[in-house]
């Protein structure tokens, strides 16, 4: 009996050591994420300290980006980043919602798997391929058939007409937004499809049995059940759009100035990619690192807002 008790105590101590080791391992993994996040932010902030010290708030409010005279204002890239990401989201969200609903509620069973696989394959295409396709296929198409109408007709409309003024050359923020929307549609659609599949079949069948249409089932059953995850997927796509580099660089025009939707402009990621290798002065490199810090903070704020929205929805669901 004593030997058995000793063996059990030994096994218990071994289990306790293994449990402590496991906790330390997973804790170190979580700590690594936080250290990497804070380290990246501090590195860019430290690298951009010279630009912030030289220009102050003008770095965020001025669009005068002149490397030759070492004058740098980041307003144009910041605005370009936000506008292109906003355009992408406005296009991608309804399209992704339609794709996800088609695959879960409308499409025949034999079609759902091939289309879902195709969407996942689109998500795996490198961004530079999207950029090249946008430059060689989408830009000529828009310049010849779409932008002349927008520049000649829509630009005369009140309130919104000024956004569509400019030469219809096919390169600009609207084109970049279109390319970004095509890039993030597979991500958002995949997330929406997966969460729509989690809705219990009994809930939907009960609604159909009471005479509800497909639209009513989606609006009153599917969306309320999955709204938190849907919002999370949307903000995941927005985070991808904010930080995209190569695809935007091909079709945005890379002009560091405030512009309309049809005119060339720039984004933070594209500006860094175009100029960092050729930065000849410390102030120039510091300004690019400062832009990187601004992009980091913009993305962090966007994802924080998403998290707060999800927490608010969860609290309301609890009540």
């Amino acid at each position: 009996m004593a030997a058995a008790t000793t063996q059990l105590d030994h096994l218990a101590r071994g289990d306790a050591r293994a449990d402590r080791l496991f906790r330390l391992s997973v804790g170190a993994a979580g700590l690594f994420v936080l250290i990497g996040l804070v380290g990246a932010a501090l590195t860019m902030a430290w690298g951009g300290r010279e630009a912030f010290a030289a220009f102050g708030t003008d770095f965020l409010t001025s669009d005068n980006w002149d490397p030759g005279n070492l004058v740098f204002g980041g307003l144009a890239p910041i605005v370009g980043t936000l506008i292109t990401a906003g355009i992408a989201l406005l296009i991608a969200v309804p399209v992704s919602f339609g794709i996800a609903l088609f695959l879960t509620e409308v499409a025949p069973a034999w079609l759902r798997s091939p289309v879902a696989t195709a969407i996942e394959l689109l998500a795996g295409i490198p961004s530079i391929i999207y950029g090249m396709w946008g430059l060689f296929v989408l830009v000529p198409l828009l310049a010849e058939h779409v932008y002349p109408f927008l520049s000649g007709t829509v630009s005369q409309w009140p309130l919104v007409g000024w956004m569509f003024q400019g030469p219809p050359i096919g390169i600009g923020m609207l084109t970049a937004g279109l390319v970004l929307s095509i890039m993030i549609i597979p991500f958002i659609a995949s997330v929406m499809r997966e969460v729509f599949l989690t809705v219990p079949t009994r809930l939907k069948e009960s609604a159909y049995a009471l005479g509800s249409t497909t639209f009513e089932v989606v609006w009153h059953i599917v969306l309320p059940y999955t709204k938190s995850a849907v919002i999370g997927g949307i903000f995941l796509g927005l985070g991808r759009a904010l930080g995209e580099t190569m695809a935007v660089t091909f079709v945005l025009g890379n002009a560091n100035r405030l512009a309309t939707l049809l005119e060339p402009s720039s984004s933070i990621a594209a500006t860094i990619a175009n100029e960092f290798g050729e930065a000849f002065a410390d102030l120039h490199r510091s300004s690019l690192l400062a832009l990187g810090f601004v992009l980091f903070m913009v993305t962090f704020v966007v994802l924080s807002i998403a998290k707060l929205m999800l927490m608010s929805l969860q609290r309301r669901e609890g009540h």
Side-chain angles (χ1 to χ4, degrees):
M1 180 67 70
T5 303
T6 302
Q7 186 177 6
L8 289 175
D9 291 340
H10 179 73
L11 291 175
R13 287 194 296 269
D15 291 341
R17 286 194 298 269
D19 186 62
R20 286 195 298 271
L21 180 61
F22 175 76
R23 288 176 179 273
L24 289 174
S25 299
V26 296
L31 187 63
F32 175 79
V33 173
L34 294 177
I35 292 174
L37 185 68
V38 175
L42 292 178
T43 299
M44 288 184 291
W46 181 256
R49 69 190 186 282
E50 186 176 349
F52 289 128
F55 305 110
T57 57
D58 288 342
F59 184 79
L60 302 177
T61 58
S62 172
D63 64 335
N64 185 14
W65 187 273
D66 187 1
N69 294 317
L70 296 181
V71 177
F72 301 99
L75 182 61
I78 294 171
V79 172
T81 299
L82 296 176
I83 291 179
T84 53
I87 293 172
L89 209 62
L90 287 175
I91 298 172
V93 169
V95 174
S96 301
F97 184 72
I99 292 173
L101 286 180
F102 175 76
L103 292 177
T104 56
E105 304 296 333
V106 179
W110 62 268
L111 186 61
R112 296 182 181 184
S113 181
V115 175
T117 302
I119 292 174
E120 294 174 356
L121 290 175
L122 285 174
I125 296 176
S127 60
I128 193 172
I129 302 300
Y130 283 105
M132 295 174 64
W133 172 82
L135 180 63
F136 294 111
V137 177
L138 187 61
V139 167
L141 180 66
L142 294 175
E144 184 176 354
H145 300 288
V146 180
Y147 283 3
F149 169 77
L150 295 178
S151 179
T153 304
V154 180
S155 62
Q156 307 301 320
W157 292 0
L159 300 179
V160 299
W162 63 272
M163 294 188 295
F164 298 94
Q165 295 176 355
I169 59 177
I171 290 178
M173 286 193 289
L174 183 57
T175 306
L178 290 171
V179 173
L180 282 177
S181 69
I182 297 172
M183 289 185 60
I184 67 176
I185 280 173
F187 291 92
I188 301 177
S190 296
V191 172
M192 287 186 176
R193 173 180 173 270
E194 293 298 329
V195 299
F196 288 167
L197 289 174
T198 63
V199 179
T201 305
R202 292 182 178 180
L203 290 179
K204 295 188 289 186
E205 290 179 347
S206 299
Y208 283 124
L210 293 174
S212 299
T213 64
T214 302
F215 174 80
E216 290 172 335
V217 170
V218 170
W219 189 256
H220 296 292
I221 303 297
V222 176
L223 277 182
Y225 193 88
T226 61
K227 57 185 176 182
S228 298
V230 167
I231 292 176
I234 292 172
F235 277 90
L236 178 66
L238 178 58
R240 171 73 187 275
L242 286 171
E244 179 53 44
T245 303
M246 294 309 301
V248 174
T249 303
F250 273 93
V251 298
L252 189 52
N254 306 310
N256 283 301
R257 62 186 183 86
L258 296 175
T260 65
L261 298 182
L262 304 187
E263 295 176 329
S265 186
S266 64
S267 70
I268 294 176
T271 300
I272 295 174
N274 283 325
E275 300 187 14
F276 199 86
E278 300 177 358
F280 61 91
D282 291 339
L283 185 59
H284 191 182
R285 285 189 291 270
S286 179
S287 298
L288 294 174
L289 288 171
L291 279 180
F293 177 72
V294 172
L295 179 59
F296 181 92
M297 294 306 299
V298 168
T299 306
F300 179 78
V301 169
V302 167
L303 296 181
S304 298
I305 293 173
K307 183 62 177 178
L308 292 174
M309 291 178 62
L310 293 176
M311 292 173 60
S312 176
L313 288 174
Q314 290 172 355
R315 285 195 297 268
R316 286 202 293 268
E317 289 173 355
H319 290 306

